[in-house]
Amino acid sequence: MSEEKKEGFFEGFSTWEKWFIGILLFLVGAAPILLSFEGIQCIAFGEESAWVGDTIGGITAPFLNLLAAFLVYKALRRR
């Protein structure tokens, strides 16, 4: 029987690519917490703007799209 080596998720990623993915995931995870925290007033959600979720989603969507595009590029390059 031959032993098959299982590849990990980060198999073939360089150190800077791992950091890039980690930073993007941190930004996506931390943005809703930081933006909805009352002590930080970096974005003013006035009483008229009841769509806080749309605002936070609009801010985090570019980071998610950049991460998705990078992962698709890496997946297609491995073939």
Side-chain angles (χ1 to χ4, degrees), residues 13-76:
F13 285 86
S14 67
T15 304
W16 76 266
E17 292 170 337
K18 292 175 188 176
W19 276 98
F20 180 70
I21 291 170
I23 290 170
L24 286 177
L25 287 175
F26 174 77
L27 288 173
V28 169
I33 296 168
L34 292 175
L35 294 175
S36 63
F37 184 62
E38 292 180 18
I40 300 174
Q41 296 296 328
C42 61
I43 297 178
F45 299 113
E47 292 182 15
E48 307 92 38
S49 93
W51 302 305
V52 176
D54 288 343
T55 305
I56 293 174
I59 293 170
T60 58
F63 298 117
L64 280 174
N65 291 338
L66 185 60
L67 178 62
F70 177 72
L71 291 176
V72 166
Y73 167 76
K74 286 296 285 186
L76 293 176

